Amino acid sequence: LIRLEIEYFNSVVQKYDALTAVFKKEIETKYGKYAFSTCSPLIHLGEYVYFEEKGYIYRCKIDNVCSEMHTLYFLVSVKHLDVHDASVQRIRLSPNQKYLAATVKSSLCEESLCVVVKLGNVPEVASILPNVFSFEWATDDTLFYTTLENLQCHQVFHAVFKAERHYTELVYTEKDPRFFVEVACTKDHRFITINSNSKSTSEVWMIDCRHPLDSPFLVQERIPGLVYHIEHRNNELYLLTNYEKGAEYKLMKTPVDAFGMENWQLVYSVKEKCKLIDMDMFKDHCVMLLKHWGTLHLDVISLNNTSTVTSVKLPSWACTFETKPNHVYSATGFSFGLASPIQPTVNFLYSLDENKLYIRKEETTPVILKDYHSERLKVKSKDGTLVPVTVFHKTPLGKLNSKPLLVHVYGAYGMDLDMSFKPEMLQLLEDGWILAYCHVRGGGELGLKWHEEGKLDKKSNGLDDLKACILQLHNLGYSQPRSTALIASSAGGVLVGALCNSNAELFRATVLRSPFLDILSTMMDLSLPLTIEEHEEWGNPHSDDAKYIKIYCPYRNIKPQRYPSILITAYENDQRVPLLGLLKYTAKLRNAVTSYASVNSNQENDYLPNIILDIQPGGDHFGPTNFEDSISEIAWHLSFLYKELGL
């Protein structure tokens, strides 16, 4: 099947090559203009700054940050490790900067190596730990870490680096395959937390950093549906939790020596239809990053007076937060970035003491969205639910009927649709495209309930939402079906694939990257690493849930009819979406298209759609692992859309 698909791909891709080359040059120019430094964020600790750039980790004095590279203190090169196309994922420093630990990932696998470096006049590699996912220092010589194997993370270890000997011991084992384990450290560095999470339930164990070799203790045993996360301040635990079934997140607290759920006290509640993006804890303040009907804002809670909550309005153009490393617990400023699909990140500082918002002094990013139009719509779905849609365009509204429309969708796992800056989206706007982001149920844009209303036996709500959004966009004068295309990745492929079967007349083409299309077969395969934990999102196909999955499963509902042109990109090293499912889907869909065409070839305005499966030899579920391949893929996808829409 792979050989046949590659042969077919090579036979059809040539007609797109010239246009792909043009787009590649244009996109490279855009990235050169708007995508700034790719080096990692600076980590400020004491008088030093640490950062990674091009596979090297450096340390320098704070007053030498802008000096030439040769003045920097070289620590370690991941290029000298036996890892293909290595990149640094995360850096952690021990409390007194005695050791540095960094995870290094190959483009060929999901697992990472953790390199532990002893700092000093001549830094030396103290240890290389295999398959590390998350890791944190408890003391200058004790590192806690989790191991990732076959996409599952079930064990926690500590590595001890004593002068007399180095050794590693198992600390915790999770036995339930639905749960994934990570380690974290409270902002004040008092506790290491072991966080065991399924898709809907969590449990936290803690280790006192003052006694790192003591056994971990349980905060609150798992209760189905209860999620909680831990921070610490002044001998009190602060818990971010969905305490009370069906409620949104709230912040609660309890004494550190009486942490049972019966002692939890309410500090702050997230409002209904509001999405909590993130939380950051400081010595005297807690900052909540929030989204309400697409508009971003901050809620700043004074922890010395919990009745005081300051709401900070953010620029209306902002669609997404970019979190920054606010490492210093006693800091009086909160750093963050704001962006949109067509606006590069602008960096801000909120002064906790002054209650003022500042653009960073060094900020040179222009706010370019003023040259374009944007709207936040509310579309009524089949059951009357209002669904948010964010639209961008350059052409005045009355002249948009003939313009091409690109619809973005995801709608799963309670995750928001990606609205980070992408220079290629700016390119499309300049060419007259309309960009629409449909925030359907199953995602998290309107809080925890928004996810609940689009998973398991409510998954079809997301499909109804997507259909309603596209119809309303057309009704409002945003393009028309023959000029409309859809784009989605991963689980977003479920809704797009289902819409191809049920309402193919609404659009002309679609681009799918690593799409989930053969749901029933995949979920029935218990040999796959994520199958059991995925039951909480899609249902258990070995039960009555199978009947419901069959109703919307893209692969199961393919039929002879008129389909849009479809480009599917698959990756050889993708461990999340099996290649066999995409091969089967493509073959079945192409047969259905051919069967329909043989019977209806003489119908007016009929056309034969292109069904293309592009199997990439590199990359993983998240796409290409290097910049050059990523640019080439974007150019190829745009070329496909332009050709299929006749642009």
Side-chain angles (χ1 to χ4, degrees):
L1 285 173
I2 292 173
R3 179 180 58 80
L4 290 173
E5 283 300 333
I6 291 175
E7 289 176 358
Y8 179 80
F9 177 80
N10 290 333
S11 71
V12 299
V13 74
Q14 293 178 3
K15 69 178 182 179
Y16 301 94
D17 284 347
L19 188 55
T20 299
V22 172
F23 277 125
K24 186 175 180 182
K25 289 183 179 180
E26 292 179 346
I27 295 168
E28 284 175 340
T29 301
K30 279 283 186 294
Y31 270 84
K33 183 176 181 180
Y34 293 113
F36 307 114
S37 174
T38 57
C39 65
S40 65
L42 301 178
I43 300 173
H44 294 261
L45 279 177
E47 61 180 333
Y48 291 107
V49 170
Y50 296 81
F51 64 95
E52 177 270 337
E53 187 172 295
K54 297 180 179 178
Y56 293 84
I57 299 174
Y58 296 94
R59 177 172 81 176
C60 67
K61 290 289 184 72
I62 287 179
D63 57 0
N64 287 332
V65 173
C66 297
S67 300
E68 295 297 322
M69 190 66 73
H70 64 80
T71 68
L72 299 174
Y73 180 36
F74 168 75
L75 293 175
V76 64
S77 168
V78 301
K79 296 180 181 297
H80 297 158
L81 300 171
D82 187 21
V83 180
H84 179 270
D85 195 18
S87 61
V88 174
Q89 301 295 298
R90 183 184 301 180
I91 297 173
R92 292 289 185 271
L93 287 136
S94 64
N96 295 307
Q97 303 182 61
K98 182 179 179 181
Y99 285 96
L100 174 146
T103 41
V104 179
K105 183 180 177 299
S106 166
S107 62
L108 300 179
C109 65
E110 295 271 356
E111 292 78 18
S112 300
L113 295 176
C114 183
V115 183
V116 181
V117 180
K118 186 176 183 181
L119 305 178
N121 292 330
V122 180
E124 59 181 276
V125 175
S127 181
I128 298 179
L129 306 169
N131 302 335
V132 172
F133 182 75
S134 59
F135 58 103
E136 296 287 350
W137 291 97
T139 66
D140 259 338
D141 52 22
T142 308
L143 178 73
F144 284 82
Y145 65 94
T146 60
T147 54
L148 179 71
E149 296 185 23
N150 201 24
L151 300 183
Q152 297 177 323
C153 214
H154 290 154
Q155 292 185 316
V156 179
F157 297 84
H158 65 225
V160 179
F161 300 92
K162 296 285 189 182
E164 57 273 18
R165 73 184 184 102
H166 296 178
Y167 64 93
T168 299
E169 289 183 345
L170 179 65
V171 174
Y172 174 87
T173 299
E174 174 58 64
K175 297 180 180 179
D176 190 327
R178 297 173 301 163
F179 285 74
F180 188 95
V181 180
E182 297 182 69
V183 293
C185 188
T186 58
K187 189 75 170 282
D188 64 356
H189 211 88
R190 172 69 186 279
F191 293 101
I192 295 291
T193 60
I194 298 173
N195 308 286
S196 188
N197 304 299
S198 75
K199 290 286 190 291
S200 63
T201 304
S202 66
E203 183 176 81
V204 180
W205 297 73
M206 297 203 308
I207 297 164
D208 193 326
C209 290
R210 299 172 301 180
H211 310 287
L213 303 186
D214 287 356
S215 298
F217 55 90
L218 178 63
V219 176
Q220 168 61 49
E221 67 179 359
R222 63 189 62 166
I223 298 173
L226 176 67
V227 175
Y228 69 99
H229 310 281
I230 297 292
E231 261 298 348
H232 175 264
R233 172 185 176 270
N234 292 353
N235 283 322
E236 290 183 312
L237 296 184
Y238 282 79
L239 305 103
L240 186 63
T241 175
N242 66 341
Y243 182 80
E244 294 178 348
K245 190 172 182 180
E248 296 298 330
Y249 277 115
K250 50 181 62 68
L251 184 66
M252 307 186 81
K253 68 176 182 178
T254 187
V256 75
D257 56 356
F259 40 73
M261 193 164 63
E262 66 277 6
N263 299 309
W264 295 3
Q265 301 172 14
L266 180 64
V267 176
Y268 165 89
S269 294
V270 175
K271 295 177 181 177
E272 189 177 356
K273 298 294 184 183
C274 205
K275 167 66 181 285
L276 176 66
I277 306 295
D278 204 351
M279 181 189 90
D280 208 338
M281 178 75 75
F282 294 87
K283 183 174 180 292
D284 296 319
H285 298 85
C286 181
V287 181
M288 299 288 185
L289 287 66
L290 301 158
K291 177 189 294 184
H292 181 67
W293 286 103
T295 302
L296 305 184
H297 68 280
L298 304 176
D299 272 0
V300 182
I301 307 163
S302 172
L303 298 178
N304 294 324
N305 178 6
T306 54
S307 64
T308 303
V309 178
T310 302
S311 189
V312 182
K313 187 177 180 180
L314 300 176
S316 60
W317 55 259
C319 294
T320 186
F321 286 102
E322 183 176 299
T323 56
K324 303 292 181 182
N326 292 279
H327 293 293
V328 182
Y329 177 60
S330 58
T332 58
F334 172 65
S335 297
F336 63 100
L338 296 175
S340 86
I342 61 170
Q343 169 61 55
T345 300
V346 179
N347 293 311
F348 289 84
L349 176 70
Y350 175 73
S351 172
L352 298 167
D353 290 342
E354 301 176 81
N355 185 26
K356 287 186 178 180
L357 185 66
Y358 299 94
I359 293 182
R360 300 293 300 225
K361 289 182 179 179
E362 69 275 15
E363 189 58 57
T364 57
T365 304
V367 178
I368 58 178
L369 208 145
K370 63 183 180 181
D371 299 326
Y372 301 94
H373 304 280
S374 63
E375 287 96 29
R376 289 188 171 97
L377 310 176
K378 294 180 181 179
V379 174
K380 187 175 290 188
S381 190
K382 181 179 179 180
D383 62 359
T385 299
L386 294 178
V387 181
V389 180
T390 310
V391 183
F392 302 95
H393 56 92
K394 188 174 183 180
T395 307
L397 183 57
K399 302 178 181 179
L400 289 171
N401 184 259
S402 61
K403 296 297 183 180
L405 167 66
L406 184 60
V407 176
H408 298 72
V409 68
Y410 185 70
Y413 302 113
M415 294 175 61
D416 290 9
L417 186 56
D418 181 11
M419 297 191 71
S420 59
F421 174 63
K422 291 181 173 57
E424 60 269 24
M425 295 299 111
L426 202 57
Q427 177 70 47
L428 291 179
L429 279 195
E430 291 175 358
D431 284 355
W433 282 71
I434 309 158
L435 306 177
Y437 293 78
C438 300
H439 310 291
V440 303
R441 281 175 284 184
E445 285 85 348
L446 294 182
L448 297 176
K449 291 182 181 179
W450 201 244
H451 176 216
E452 292 293 327
E453 292 173 7
K455 71 175 189 178
L456 298 174
D457 61 351
K458 298 181 179 65
K459 184 60 69 174
S460 62
N461 282 340
L463 178 59
D464 292 338
D465 294 351
L466 179 58
K467 177 183 175 182
C469 288
I470 296 174
L471 284 170
Q472 182 67 353
L473 286 166
H474 291 160
N475 289 337
L476 292 173
Y478 294 102
S479 194
Q480 49 192 309
R482 66 172 179 269
S483 299
T484 297
L486 272 63
I487 188 167
S489 298
S490 192
V494 172
L495 298 183
V496 175
L499 194 67
C500 285
N501 292 327
S502 65
N503 295 95
E505 74 282 358
L506 292 179
F507 55 106
R508 185 66 175 254
T510 183
V511 170
L512 301 174
R513 188 168 61 80
S514 302
F516 192 26
L517 297 168
D518 187 7
I519 304 167
L520 195 61
S521 297
T522 303
M523 295 301 297
M524 292 181 72
D525 188 350
L526 296 179
S527 68
L528 297 173
L530 301 180
T531 296
I532 294 177
E533 68 177 81
E534 293 287 333
H535 286 175
E536 293 185 28
E537 177 71 22
W538 309 98
N540 183 352
H542 300 283
S543 69
D544 288 342
D545 294 341
K547 298 176 183 177
Y548 186 76
I549 295 173
K550 287 179 181 178
I551 294 173
Y552 67 86
C553 176
Y555 175 75
R556 297 280 167 168
N557 290 284
I558 291 173
K559 56 192 175 187
Q561 65 169 13
R562 182 172 177 171
Y563 276 90
S565 290
I566 300 176
L567 169 59
I568 299 171
T569 304
Y571 303 96
E572 185 179 49
N573 299 317
D574 189 344
Q575 294 178 267
R576 288 170 169 79
V577 176
L579 182 58
L580 178 59
L582 297 181
L583 289 163
K584 289 166 52 184
Y585 175 87
T586 304
K588 184 176 180 180
L589 182 60
R590 202 176 283 137
N591 287 337
V593 165
T594 303
S595 175
Y596 176 79
S598 66
V599 177
N600 300 276
S601 58
N602 296 322
Q603 286 193 9
E604 187 178 356
N605 297 324
D606 203 47
Y607 74 102
L608 190 64
N610 288 303
I611 310 298
I612 301 173
L613 175 59
D614 179 9
I615 303 172
Q616 290 292 315
D620 56 23
H621 183 70
F622 304 101
T625 55
N626 65 66
F627 179 75
E628 182 68 22
D629 289 346
S630 179
I631 294 296
S632 296
E633 179 178 285
I634 292 168
W636 156 223
H637 289 173
L638 293 187
S639 174
F640 175 82
L641 291 176
Y642 273 67
K643 283 280 189 181
E644 297 308 318
L645 269 60
L647 304 177

